[in-house]
Amino acid sequence: MRHKDEQWEKEIRKGPFASSPFTEDHKRKVLQQVEWMKKSEERSKGDRSEDSSRSFRPFRPQVGNVSHKRRRKRGPLVAGMGSLVIAAGLFLWIWDDGQLVKPVIEQVYPTAALQLSDGLNTNMLTDKMKRNVATTMRDDLGKQLKIKKVEDLPVSGRIYVEAGNESEKEYAQIWLDAITGNLREVQMRREMQPSELEHRYLRQVPSLLQSIGSTPTLKPVSVQRYVSMKQGELEPISYTTLALENETGYGEIVWQQDKAVSITGDLRPDQVSQAALADARKAIEALSGKAKLDLVRVSRSKDDELGKDTVSFSFKDNYFVQMTEGKEGLGYTVGDANHYEQDFADWEEIEAYYQELYNIEESLLRGEVEPIIKKIFKMDLQAYKLHRNPDHPGMVTFELESSTDVFQVEYREDGRVKMITRGEL
């Protein structure tokens, strides 16, 4: 049975079937019918007559003399074609509401699915351009958007196609080479319902969540797809982001093409390191002065693209700790996520506030930061040099010239610390 499952997986990855939702019941029915067709064909091989093979052959006028021997040779081939027709009919019957009819048409005639606004001048679009636009939206975005604009850009040698509305959730911009008709650049986005997400993604969800120690029963709630192809790239790259949740937890999975590159989810209690939790509590107490704050949640995020694996502890009153293992080493962040809104009358007050942040006295800042650093990391900052960044008032770094060790500190106008990050900057 495993062999059949492997064959099944290979088959449904082929368009047009890849974009249609499959269920176990669909799978069972198709496999049964395929087996029945195979057995029927084997039984009929021995006694298939010329007349029976003719019954599958469409009528064609005879030109010249065709020998009896040649007609018999064509019989099995035509009968095989008849089986394919039956199989096609079977697949169309399997799905409800004729879901497969449109993908089949698109597979053979992709431009038939293009949606064009009234009065749109498409004379500058060659058949190849139309096919590239249609298949790109179908295969990468998973949906055909109505084309609203076609423009010739003679200076750049491109044809520009715009579909959907920029202010809405579904939008596409496609640049084509005016001479060859090939794709040059692509930017597309779409928000989908979880039920629209291809089965090849949904089937991975439980095992991916389990792989990071999260609850495999989180349910899909929303899907976003973003597709990009920059100048010089050979094909569009799609990113599919699936948000999941249940009554007590949250998760997120990001795929690049068909490969999961980022997995986030709340950790199950048995997957939480008690040593790491105790360390996080001490860090929160050092930052806030509050002891034994209640733990709200623990989550893990594994990002293969960035090469980072992060465990986050969230506590009462919006305090948090993040511990990261990555390509550049270990990272540690402790912070206060509370927002203290500032009321400003005009831009002059805003500029004055940022100037105050930037010009804060180093002695005041060190007096706030150093005790926290010493409690959390058991380190002394006296040998570290402070660096200010005019582009980021309210943030400084402490660096040790003889080491790569760096502390980044965010603070308020009175010097109180909002967040400290060590490493992984």
Side-chain angles (χ1 to χ4, degrees):
M1 188 64 191
R2 176 159 181 78
H3 174 70
K4 291 182 182 178
D5 288 343
E6 289 174 354
Q7 290 300 114
W8 170 263
E9 294 296 341
K10 289 178 183 177
E11 193 62 31
I12 65 172
R13 286 179 180 275
K14 301 176 184 176
F17 309 113
S19 62
S20 300
F22 279 77
T23 66
E24 288 301 316
D25 190 47
H26 291 153
K27 177 178 175 178
R28 179 180 58 80
K29 287 180 179 178
V30 172
L31 288 175
Q32 285 178 348
Q33 295 289 349
V34 170
E35 287 299 318
W36 175 82
M37 287 163 53
K38 286 181 180 178
K39 291 177 181 178
S40 297
E41 187 171 355
E42 289 173 0
R43 284 196 301 267
S44 62
K45 278 182 180 178
D47 57 358
R48 185 186 290 119
S49 65
E50 183 180 351
D51 290 338
S52 63
S53 64
R54 278 180 183 169
S55 65
F56 289 101
R57 186 164 57 237
F59 171 78
R60 291 189 181 90
Q62 297 293 328
V63 179
N65 295 322
V66 181
S67 68
H68 178 71
K69 181 178 180 181
R70 184 178 177 184
R71 286 198 301 269
R72 289 186 60 84
K73 189 174 181 180
R74 290 179 59 206
L77 175 62
V78 177
M81 291 296 292
S83 297
L84 290 177
V85 172
I86 293 175
L90 172 66
F91 281 119
L92 286 171
W93 171 78
I94 290 294
W95 284 274
D96 296 330
D97 301 324
Q99 289 186 32
L100 195 57
V101 173
K102 185 176 179 181
V104 166
I105 294 173
E106 288 184 25
Q107 193 72 13
V108 183
Y109 305 106
T111 57
L114 279 180
Q115 303 173 45
L116 307 172
S117 296
D118 294 337
L120 192 67
N121 180 14
T122 58
N123 293 336
M124 63 190 74
L125 292 177
T126 65
D127 288 342
K128 183 177 181 180
M129 290 178 182
K130 292 177 183 178
R131 186 166 61 252
N132 281 339
V133 170
T135 55
T136 300
M137 284 198 287
R138 180 198 68 195
D139 295 346
D140 297 290
L141 193 62
K143 183 179 182 179
Q144 300 288 352
L145 304 183
K146 181 179 286 188
I147 296 175
K148 300 291 184 67
K149 185 177 183 180
V150 177
E151 183 179 2
D152 187 2
L153 306 174
V155 176
S156 62
R158 300 183 183 189
I159 301 295
Y160 173 69
V161 176
E162 187 175 0
N165 295 309
E166 188 174 5
S167 61
E168 296 180 356
K169 297 173 182 177
E170 299 184 342
Y171 185 62
Q173 295 175 301
I174 300 174
W175 292 263
L176 303 133
D177 190 289
I179 298 175
T180 65
N182 294 332
L183 296 175
R184 293 279 293 273
E185 290 187 63
V186 172
Q187 298 291 332
M188 300 189 293
R189 67 172 184 265
R190 180 190 175 197
E191 187 168 304
M192 310 161 62
Q193 293 298 320
S195 58
E196 297 178 275
L197 184 61
E198 294 88 346
H199 181 68
R200 64 179 183 271
Y201 296 108
L202 290 173
R203 63 184 291 273
Q204 301 176 44
V205 171
S207 60
L208 289 174
L209 291 172
Q210 282 183 314
S211 72
I212 64 167
S214 187
T215 306
T217 55
L218 292 175
K219 302 298 183 185
V221 291
S222 66
V223 184
Q224 290 184 329
R225 179 162 289 164
Y226 175 75
V227 182
S228 174
M229 176 181 170
K230 298 178 182 178
Q231 177 68 34
E233 294 179 342
L234 298 178
E235 62 181 16
I237 299 174
S238 68
Y239 286 87
T240 302
T241 302
L242 172 65
L244 307 116
E245 66 179 29
N246 60 16
E247 295 79 5
T248 58
Y250 174 82
E252 182 181 273
I253 301 174
V254 180
W255 287 270
Q256 179 183 328
Q257 305 296 74
D258 290 348
K259 180 184 178 182
V261 294
S262 177
I263 312 164
T264 300
D266 290 341
L267 287 181
R268 301 192 305 271
D270 63 322
Q271 297 293 312
V272 178
S273 166
Q274 295 304 305
L277 175 58
D279 186 78
R281 288 188 184 280
K282 292 178 182 178
I284 293 298
E285 184 175 357
L287 177 69
S288 67
K290 302 176 182 179
K292 299 180 180 179
L293 285 178
D294 292 339
L295 180 66
V296 176
R297 64 191 289 251
V298 184
S299 64
R300 181 183 176 191
S301 180
K302 188 173 182 294
D303 193 315
D304 292 337
E305 268 198 306
L306 299 177
K308 293 184 178 182
D309 193 339
T310 302
V311 175
S312 301
F313 297 88
S314 299
F315 294 89
K316 186 180 177 182
D317 297 339
N318 294 319
Y319 291 98
F320 67 93
V321 172
Q322 292 182 341
M323 303 174 183
T324 301
E325 293 183 19
K327 296 176 181 178
E328 306 300 324
L330 301 177
Y332 194 102
T333 299
V334 54
D336 174 1
N338 289 290
H339 297 284
Y340 299 92
E341 297 293 336
Q342 297 285 336
D343 293 325
F344 300 106
D346 50 38
W347 279 104
E348 290 184 359
E349 285 193 8
I350 295 175
E351 291 178 358
Y353 173 72
Y354 285 140
Q355 195 67 32
E356 181 183 4
L357 282 174
Y358 181 71
N359 292 328
I360 193 169
E361 293 184 10
E362 182 173 337
S363 58
L364 172 61
L365 199 54
R366 283 185 177 272
E368 293 285 340
V369 175
E370 288 183 354
I372 301 174
I373 297 290
K374 185 168 288 187
K375 286 181 180 179
I376 298 175
F377 302 105
K378 307 296 187 292
M379 296 181 66
D380 196 327
L381 279 185
Q382 288 184 357
Y384 284 71
K385 187 175 181 179
L386 183 147
H387 295 276
R388 304 176 193 264
N389 186 342
D391 294 329
H392 296 281
M395 180 186 296
V396 295
T397 57
F398 291 89
E399 297 184 36
L400 193 62
E401 292 183 2
S402 60
S403 171
T404 58
D405 201 20
V406 177
F407 290 94
Q408 180 178 277
V409 178
E410 293 186 31
Y411 57 90
R412 308 187 198 284
E413 69 279 4
D414 57 2
R416 285 181 300 150
V417 177
K418 292 166 56 179
M419 187 167 71
I420 297 175
T421 298
R422 182 186 186 187
E424 285 290 313
L425 301 181

